[in-house]
Every structure is written in C-alpha cells, then in structure tokens.
C-alpha cells in the first residue's frame, strides 16, 4: 500500500526523524494561512502517489502568503501528469505547504528488502535527488549498502558506517547515524516494504531534514496496522480494481479488447502472453482465485464486462481445487443473469472436466470450447476481431 | 528417488483443524502420504480423518516423530507456527499460508538458515513426489493427482502453484513422469528459490531434467543463470517464463505479490536472455515444454 508524502512525513516525525515544518492544505485559503504561519518563502507540493511531481508542475515555490494561495489554487484540482502517472494524470486534492530552505547537500537514504537474502537493506548515496535506479546505472560506486540481519536488528556501527561513507562533516555524522536508526525503526515497526528519503538534505545552517519521503507498506501486514489502513486513498486506485478487491478477485485493467478470466496468477499471465502471441491484446488481467464459487465467477464476469472495450472473453481454467463442473455452473449462471452478448471461449482442464464440458454443451448457450491454450487464444482473438461494436 | 520428501517422510500438519488443512490432509492421506499427527492449539485430543491432533508440536513429536511439517495457519500465526516447528527440530517446513507478513517471513528464513532447515513457501501449494507422497495442497484430490502426475525422471520447480500441476499434466499426457514437483510460493520472499532446489535435483539419481516455471519480478532467475554459468551442471533445465507482457508495465503487481517489475529490474526479457546465455532451454510456448523435455533427455542419454 502506498501513502502520500505528508502522511509519510507524519510517520517519520513520530519516530523522531527530522522533517521540515509544514502542513497540508486542501484549499488555496488554507495554503495561505499555513504560509502566514510558517513564514515565507514556502514550497507548495502536490500530494499524489506518483513520483516526478516537480517535472509535471506540481511543486512550486512561493515568496509570500498571497503567492502561496495563488500557486495552491493552480495546483489543487489540476490533473497532474508525471512520468509515473497515466497519460491523463492524477487529480490533485491536497498540497503540502512547507518551509523552503537553503540546501547545501542532497543525499539519498532508503530501506527495502533484498529478495535474495531476505534481509532489509539500507542504501545511501551522495547523489540525492536522482532516482536511485539511475544512480545505480550511472554511478554504482556511489551507492553504499548495509544489510541488516532481521533477528539482530540494526547495530549503531552500521549507521555510523553509512554516515562516514557519505563524506559528511564530523558534527553531522552522529546526527545522520541517528536518523538512519530512526528510519530503520519506522521501517520495521510499521512493516514497510519501502521507506525512501530522496532527497535527504543538509541545509546551509547544518540541519539534516527529509525533504521528500516515500513509504510503501507490506499489504500482508496491514492486519496489524489499523492506523496505516486508515491512510489508504481510494481515489488513487482504479475503481474497478477496488471493486474487484472486495471480492478477493485480482483484476487489473489493460488496454486491449480480449477479456480474460483465469484461475491462478501463473496461468493468468501465461494466458495473456499467448493471447498476444495469437495477435490479440488482453483487456485485463483477472485471477478468480483457487476456490472460486459460482458467485465469484459471476462477480468476475460483471467486473470484466464493465470494461466496454471487451469484444470477446476467454475463460481459461485448470481445475484443481476449483472443479470444472462448479466453474461451468457459475459461468452458465452468470452468462444468463448478466445477459452476456460477447462471444465466450472456454478452455478447461483438470478435475471433473468432462462433466463441466457437458454442462456447457447442454446449457443451450453459445459457448466456444477450445482444446488447449493455443487453440483458445486463436479462437478468442478471431472472435474479438470479427465482432463489431453494437 | 526424489528430493525433499518420499514415501518414508513423516509429516505433521500445523493448523490441521482448519477447513483447507483438513481437506488437503484427507487428499494427502488418500494419495499415500504419511501424515502422522496434526497440531492446533486448544484442539488437542481430536482427530481429523484419523490423524490425532495435539496442542503443541512438542507433544505431537513425542508420540509421532516427524520429518516435515505443513503449515496452514492464519497469516498472523505463521511466524509462531514456523518457529515452533523449527525449534522442535523439524527440518522441512512447507508453508501454504497466503499473505504472511514479509518481516515475519524474513525472520523465519533467518532462523531456518541457522537451523539448517528447508523452508518451502510461504504461499506455496506444496510439493509432490509422484507415487510416493504429497506434502501440501498441490494437485487437489488424490484421484486428480493420479491423473495429472506420474512417477518419472523430470523435476519441476515453479513460482506458480497452479502451473506446477499444469506442467505435470502436460508431461504426463506426453508419457513423461516426474521425480518431484515443487511449488515454491508466489511471495517476494520465499524460503527456497531455484538456486536452493536445482542442486538437490542434481544429486538425485532419478532426475534427468528439470522444468522451471519463471515469472517477472525479483532476481531468482538471474541468480539461477549465474549459478548455472558458474557450475555447468550436467542436469538439463527447460524454462518457461510467463508474463512477458509485464515488462512493459513497471510498478504494477500481477497476481502474485512477487510479480512486479521495479525500475528496470525483474523484466522477463533480461531473464530469458540470461537463461539462454547460461544454456537453459527456454520454451516460447507452454505446450512446447513437453517436446523440449523429450529432446534434452534424449540428447543427454545418447
């Protein structure tokens, strides 16, 4: 799960990590009041989940409160397009108004989990402000990494090592080592999957501050963090995906016209690859899950057909835990109830497949059955191409 | 032969009184697996499909020594259950639970490393040595497992649980049997990766080839390619890399928590390239896997 910058900074502050003074505003008037309170100049920053906000005009400096109001009025409500948003951009609902400061040095500090060692890894770099992937590609020698054994926890020397290698002046080394420890603590306590301060800045007056902050959380650990669950911003998520998640259906909308319903993520991915190989474009990724019920199948149908670009549907099921007869029952019921008009191609294999196929045949509905995945993909792509929009 | 588990492996099931666990316990028993005991705190004294239930792993092991444990408990209790098994000396843990917190998994993996135990999963359907035993849910009811799997010379290691059986089914339809098939789990952190399991297949005299089912995200495939390049094992590997379309969609997670292209890391294009450079045979289409396996096994024997 992702959260906004201002939310991440509040969490950092709880752990004692130094952040700039600032407050969040949802109207230009509020922005002005905050600027008056803080003293100018201030920075007005659009609060959306995607990065690259500055490039899209979502971050502006204001030298006095009326200017802060003016800048905020332009940012709030805008469709902010950044390299990380969709081409339509994301609507800005809030801005963070913060004290602007004179910066001497920009650093990078981040913590993630290294998937091969299963250890959290702290990364730091003198090249702050750049994307860390870019730094890794261009100046790999500038990235300092420290792996933390989760059972032992972060040791103070590891923080000092990072600070030393960043080439900081002695007075700042202690402060930085402490900041690393605080970030690690937040990362661990809040079950983050990523905590990134980019840039972490040293100001002219020798303060160390998180100028930006990004925190992602392990979805699987949200059950023990009601306070984090409350920070979820549904407006940042695609409505159909939110709807699907209510039924435990994993749905992701794509740009093609071949709707897919598959059980199992691995099979779903393979299905989409083969649709592309057959010359088609999938309209979605949809995993109905292992123990799908007839009701689940109906929900899945409803969700994938809400996408009006869908011209044909491919159902690809390998019956194991989900039996083919149960699936057939669900499909028949859904097609009747939802009055599905587009062609439906079905490939089934596995538990009770014969019974399932017979049920489809006896239903009197016009299903196209397929022998294997390739056959199914070819049939559905052909169907999608020949059916014209109503 | 087989790897990790065979007909002699004694298994306990932690969380056996749960609906899913009770159901796969029956399926496994029907298939011939030696499930000797179950554990659910507070439910000791019961019996599930004839398997005695205990309150603690220690009590269960006192009466029924075991080699492996299948953990099927709610996500919040996975760490506790795994620690209990590891600290009582169980050497193979198959964790089927989905959505276990990543931090907990990291701690389990660290403890397992210390105890020299093997963890399969979490979010794994389990593993099967056809004709011998089935540890976990993989394949479903025994009758269906017998249709999809048959004993033979090919190992399977898969990042997808469903595809483990789908691959076996394809091989079986082509009269190619399997030695052991392992669903390693779809999470970003799993106890056993390709690099942990391939060496075990190399030591297995029965296994003549291994099919690897790979996905986007992470660096498990890259590590395997490095390992193969460095050690040149005789064992032929045939890989299928699913989710090629994911390459164009960085930052989006598809189904498995582990399937995400981050920045320019985790793309299938790179994985396929490295596999091919390392001499791993990559199937372009799923159905090609069977033919490719036949070819490499034949070439190896001649």
């Amino acid at each position: 799960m992702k959260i906004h910058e201002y939310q991440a900074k509040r969490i950092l502050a709880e752990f004692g990590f130094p952040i700039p003074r600032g407050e969040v505003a949802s109207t230009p008037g509020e922005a002005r009041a905050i600027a008056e309170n803080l003293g100018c100049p201030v920075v007005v920053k659009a609060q959306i989940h995607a990065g690259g906000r500055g490039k899209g005009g979502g971050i502006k400096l204001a030298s006095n409160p009326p200017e802060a109001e003016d800048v905020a009025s332009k940012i709030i409500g805008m469709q902010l397009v950044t390299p990380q948003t969709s081409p339509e951009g994301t609507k800005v609902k809030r801005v963070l108004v913060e004290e602007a400061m004179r910066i001497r040095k920009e650093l990078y500090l981040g913590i993630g989990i290294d998937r091969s060692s299963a250890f959290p890894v702290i990364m730091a770099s003198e090249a702050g402000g750049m994307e860390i992937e870019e730094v890794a590609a261009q100046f790999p020698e500038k990235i300092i990494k420290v792996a933390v054994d989760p059972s032992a926890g972060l040791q103070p020397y590891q923080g000092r090592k990072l600070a030393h290698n960043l080439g900081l002046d002695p007075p700042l080394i202690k402060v930085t080592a402490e900041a690393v420890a605080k970030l690690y603590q937040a990362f661990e306590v809040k079950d983050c999957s990523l905590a990134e301060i980019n840039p972490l800045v040293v100001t002219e007056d020798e303060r160390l501050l998180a100028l930006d902050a990004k925190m992602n959380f392990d979805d699987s650990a949200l059950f023990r963090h009601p306070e984090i669950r409350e920070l979820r911003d549904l407006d940042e998520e695609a409505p159909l995906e939110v709807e699907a998640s209510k039924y435990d259906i994993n749905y992701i909308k794509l740009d093609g016209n071949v709707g897919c319903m598959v059980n199992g993520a691995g099979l779903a991915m393979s299905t989409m690859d083969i649709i592309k190989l057959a010359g088609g474009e999938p309209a979605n990724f949809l995993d109905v899950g292992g123990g799908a019920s007839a009701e689940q199948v109906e929900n899945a149908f409803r969700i994938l057909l809400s996408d009006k670009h869908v011209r044909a549907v491919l159902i690809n099921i390998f019956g194991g835990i989900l039996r083919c007869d149960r699936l057939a029952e669900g499909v028949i019921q859904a097609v009747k109830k939802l009055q599905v008009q587009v062609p439906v191609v079905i490939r089934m294999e596995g538990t009770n497949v014969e019974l399932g196929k017979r049920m489809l045949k006896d239903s009197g509905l016009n299903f196209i059955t397929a022998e294997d995945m390739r056959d199914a993909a070819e049939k559905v792509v052909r169907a999608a191409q020949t059916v014209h929009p109503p | 032969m087989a790897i990790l588990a065979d007909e002699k492996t004694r298994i306990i099931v932690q969380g056996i009184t749960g609906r899913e666990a009770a159901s796969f316990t029956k399926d496994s028993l029907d298939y011939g697996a030696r499930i000797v005991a179950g554990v659910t705190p507070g439910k000791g004294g019961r019996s599930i499909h004839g398997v005695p239930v205990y309150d603690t792993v220690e009590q269960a092991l006192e009466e029924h020594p075991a080699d492996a444990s299948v953990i099927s408990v709610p996500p919040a209790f996975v760490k506790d259950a795994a620690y209990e098994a590891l600290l009582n000396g169980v050497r193979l843990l198959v964790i089927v639970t989905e959505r276990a917190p990543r931090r907990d998994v990291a701690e389990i993996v660290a403890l397992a490393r210390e105890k020299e135990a093997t963890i399969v999963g979490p979010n794994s359907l389990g593993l099967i040595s056809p004709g011998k035993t089935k540890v976990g849910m993989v394949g479903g009811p025994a009758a269906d497992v017998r249709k999809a799997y048959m004993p033979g010379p090919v190992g399977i290691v898969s990042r997808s649980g469903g595809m483990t059986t789908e691959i076996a089914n394809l091989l079986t339809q082509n009269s190619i049997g399997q030695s052991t098939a392992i669903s390693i789990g779809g999470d970003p952190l799993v106890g056993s990766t390709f690099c942990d399991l391939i060496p075990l297949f190399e030591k297995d005299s029965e296994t003549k080839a291994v099919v690897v089912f790979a996905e986007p995200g992470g660096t498990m495939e890259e590590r395997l390619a490095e390992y193969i390049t460095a050690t040149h094992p005789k064992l032929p590997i045939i890989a299928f890399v699913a989710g090629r379309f994911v390459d164009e969609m960085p930052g989006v997670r598809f189904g498995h928590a582990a399937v995400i292209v981050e920045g320019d890391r985790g793309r299938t294009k790179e994985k396929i390239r490295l596999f091919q450079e390392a001499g791993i045979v990559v199937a372009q289409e799923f159905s090609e896997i069977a033919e490719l396996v036949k070819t490499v096994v034949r070439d190896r024997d001649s």
Side-chain angles (χ1 to χ4, degrees):
Chain A
M1 192 189 106
K2 293 178 179 175
I3 60 171
H4 292 291
E5 174 196 3
Y6 76 94
Q7 296 168 323
K9 282 180 169 167
R10 280 181 192 164
I11 294 174
L12 288 176
E14 273 173 45
F15 285 85
F17 195 103
I19 58 165
R21 291 182 303 129
E23 268 177 75
V24 72
S26 41
T27 65
E30 281 171 26
R32 178 184 182 140
I34 296 165
E36 273 163 1
N37 228 337
L38 290 175
C40 282
V42 291
V43 186
V44 180
K45 305 175 84 178
Q47 297 297 291
I48 61 167
H49 285 176
R53 292 168 298 169
K55 289 174 198 151
I59 300 178
K60 299 265 188 231
L61 201 64
S63 46
N64 53 58
E67 201 183 329
E69 181 172 2
D70 181 50
V71 165
S73 75
K74 286 180 183 128
I75 297 178
I76 296 171
M78 81 186 283
Q79 285 292 126
L80 181 52
V81 180
T82 84
Q84 291 179 26
T85 62
S86 64
E88 307 89 68
T90 304
K91 188 169 181 174
V92 182
K93 292 182 298 178
R94 296 176 209 89
V95 290
L96 175 61
V97 183
E98 273 185 352
E99 55 170 332
M101 56 207 92
R102 292 180 180 281
I103 293 160
R104 178 183 299 166
K105 205 166 184 174
E106 295 195 16
L107 309 166
Y108 172 92
L109 178 63
I111 310 179
I113 294 195
D114 174 47
R115 284 165 55 163
S116 19
S117 66
F119 279 10
V121 173
I122 307 176
M123 290 200 288
S125 169
E126 283 180 70
M130 285 168 77
E131 294 280 331
I132 193 70
E133 289 87 4
E134 228 173 284
V135 182
Q138 291 182 31
F139 321 101
E141 72 287 353
K142 285 197 176 167
I143 298 181
I144 309 147
K145 287 186 184 179
V146 168
V148 184
D149 180 341
S151 36
L154 178 76
Q155 301 304 311
Y157 85 89
Q158 294 177 304
R160 290 199 299 274
K161 177 186 160 180
L162 282 168
H164 272 287
N165 287 333
L166 283 171
L168 296 171
D169 300 336
L172 273 171
I173 286 180
K174 189 165 171 267
V175 181
T176 307
E178 280 167 8
V180 169
K182 284 166 185 162
L183 185 64
Y184 185 79
Q185 200 194 354
F187 179 87
E188 217 187 35
V189 170
K190 297 293 183 187
D191 280 301
C192 291
S193 51
L194 177 78
E196 194 177 64
I197 315 291
N198 190 21
L200 173 68
V201 299
V202 178
T203 60
E204 298 257 301
D205 53 355
E206 294 284 296
R207 286 186 298 157
L208 185 82
L209 292 168
L211 202 63
D212 195 0
K214 180 174 166 184
M215 275 186 168
N216 296 350
F217 300 89
D218 175 6
D219 293 330
S220 302
L222 288 175
F223 70 84
R224 55 191 178 204
H225 297 290
E227 80 290 1
I228 303 293
R229 286 204 301 271
E230 274 176 28
L231 305 180
R232 185 170 172 193
D233 184 351
L234 290 176
D235 291 343
E236 288 272 350
E237 299 173 34
L240 273 179
E241 292 170 21
V242 175
E243 168 81 5
S245 69
K246 282 187 210 154
Y247 305 105
D248 246 342
I249 292 170
N250 201 313
Y251 171 90
I252 296 162
K253 191 184 165 331
L254 303 168
D255 297 330
N257 61 9
V258 179
C260 310
M261 175 164 31
V262 188
N263 71 323
L267 187 59
M269 275 190 279
S270 310
T271 305
M272 300 179 57
D273 285 335
I274 205 160
I275 288 171
K276 290 190 95 148
L277 269 177
E281 282 296 328
N284 65 276
F285 171 96
L286 194 159
D287 174 8
V288 275
S293 59
E295 193 192 353
Q296 186 86 337
V297 170
E298 188 184 315
N299 286 325
F301 247 113
R302 195 164 40 72
I303 288 161
L304 80 86
L305 289 174
S306 336
D307 174 0
K308 294 301 165 213
H309 300 289
V310 171
R311 295 277 167 261
V313 175
L314 171 57
I315 301 179
N316 187 8
I317 301 290
F318 188 85
I321 301 151
L322 170 63
R323 303 187 328 247
C324 292
D325 54 324
R326 203 191 206 182
L327 170 92
E329 188 192 319
V331 171
I332 294 165
Q333 202 177 301
V335 167
K336 282 184 180 161
K337 199 164 160 189
L338 302 170
Q339 300 184 332
V340 176
Q341 302 295 335
V342 296
V344 178
V345 178
I346 305 181
R347 177 262 173 177
M348 289 193 296
E349 189 68 62
T351 312
N352 293 354
V353 62
E354 295 311 323
L355 179 59
K357 281 187 177 165
R358 198 162 57 238
M359 288 166 67
L360 291 176
K361 209 172 158 201
D362 296 347
S363 69
L365 296 165
N366 202 9
F367 295 113
I368 304 167
T369 51
E371 284 315 305
D372 55 31
M373 270 169 67
R374 167 150 219 154
D375 184 36
E378 282 167 0
K379 280 178 174 159
V380 79
V381 170
R382 210 174 312 134
Q385 283 162 353
T386 44
V387 174
H388 297 287
Chain B
M1 289 271 285
I3 70 163
L4 296 175
D6 59 22
E7 68 280 9
K8 295 189 289 290
T9 305
R10 297 159 302 178
I11 305 160
I12 61 169
V13 176
Q14 289 176 261
I16 193 166
T17 51
R19 192 177 52 85
E20 204 170 71
S23 155
F24 74 69
T25 295
K26 180 177 187 307
D27 295 342
S28 303
L29 289 167
D30 290 347
Y31 194 67
R34 287 184 67 187
I35 299 184
V36 295
V39 177
T40 299
K43 303 265 172 83
R46 297 187 189 192
S47 127
I48 297 286
H49 301 296
V51 176
V53 181
Y54 297 85
D55 284 314
T56 67
V57 169
E58 194 179 358
Q59 287 167 6
L61 295 180
E62 261 170 33
E63 301 292 323
H64 312 276
D67 313 291
S69 175
V70 185
I71 295 181
S72 173
V73 301
F77 309 123
V78 166
K79 183 179 151 187
D80 186 35
Y83 267 53
E84 190 182 2
L86 289 169
L87 294 172
N88 279 287
V90 181
R91 301 294 298 275
L92 171 65
L93 267 55
V94 173
I95 306 176
V96 300
T97 305
E98 283 179 59
R99 297 183 195 148
R102 209 173 300 183
R103 172 156 54 101
D104 299 5
V105 178
E107 289 171 16
I108 294 167
V109 171
L111 181 65
R113 216 174 269 155
E114 197 183 306
K115 297 282 170 197
E116 293 177 11
T118 300
I119 308 275
V120 173
N123 194 7
S124 153
L125 285 189
L127 62 101
I128 173 171
S129 297
K132 300 185 175 89
T133 194
K134 172 169 118 76
V135 190
M137 297 196 282
V138 62
D144 299 300
V145 177
R146 289 193 190 96
K147 272 187 228 158
Y149 290 87
M150 64 184 250
V154 179
I156 300 173
V157 190
S158 170
R159 281 177 65 181
S160 156
M163 294 310 278
T164 311
T165 300
E166 178 103 51
I167 292 165
N169 192 58
L170 177 70
L171 295 175
T172 298
Q173 281 173 357
N174 285 276
S175 311
I176 308 166
Q178 307 91 39
S179 53
T180 301
I182 304 144
S183 146
I184 64 170
D187 284 356
L189 289 189
V190 289
S192 296
T193 64
F194 296 150
C195 275
D196 298 306
L197 298 169
I198 295 292
L200 304 181
F201 278 118
E202 286 169 32
K203 286 188 211 121
D204 177 37
S205 57
E206 191 195 22
T207 303
K208 299 253 189 307
V210 176
V211 177
V212 165
F213 183 87
E215 292 182 348
T219 55
M220 206 185 284
E221 291 77 12
E222 287 81 343
R223 295 284 99 80
L224 177 63
E226 276 168 25
Y227 167 78
I228 299 295
T229 308
T231 62
H232 294 293
K234 285 204 191 80
L235 186 69
I237 299 174
I238 298 91
F240 180 77
V241 184
R244 278 165 275 180
F245 71 94
V246 177
D247 285 9
E248 294 139 45
M249 307 186 70
V252 185
R253 213 173 278 281
F254 284 91
H256 292 147
V259 175
I260 181 166
V261 170
E262 293 160 298
D264 51 11
R265 282 174 309 165
R267 289 209 165 88
T268 60
K269 208 172 170 184
E270 183 69 358
K271 292 175 191 286
I272 291 171
R273 187 181 69 80
L274 292 170
F275 272 178
Q276 286 170 336
E277 272 181 21
I280 294 171
V281 180
V282 180
Q284 290 305 312
E285 256 186 63
F286 185 77
S287 53
E288 274 175 31
I289 294 172
E291 270 315 306
L292 292 172
V293 169
K294 275 187 197 162
T295 314
V296 298
V297 172
R298 199 178 47 223
D299 289 354
R300 194 190 170 197
D301 287 344
S302 62

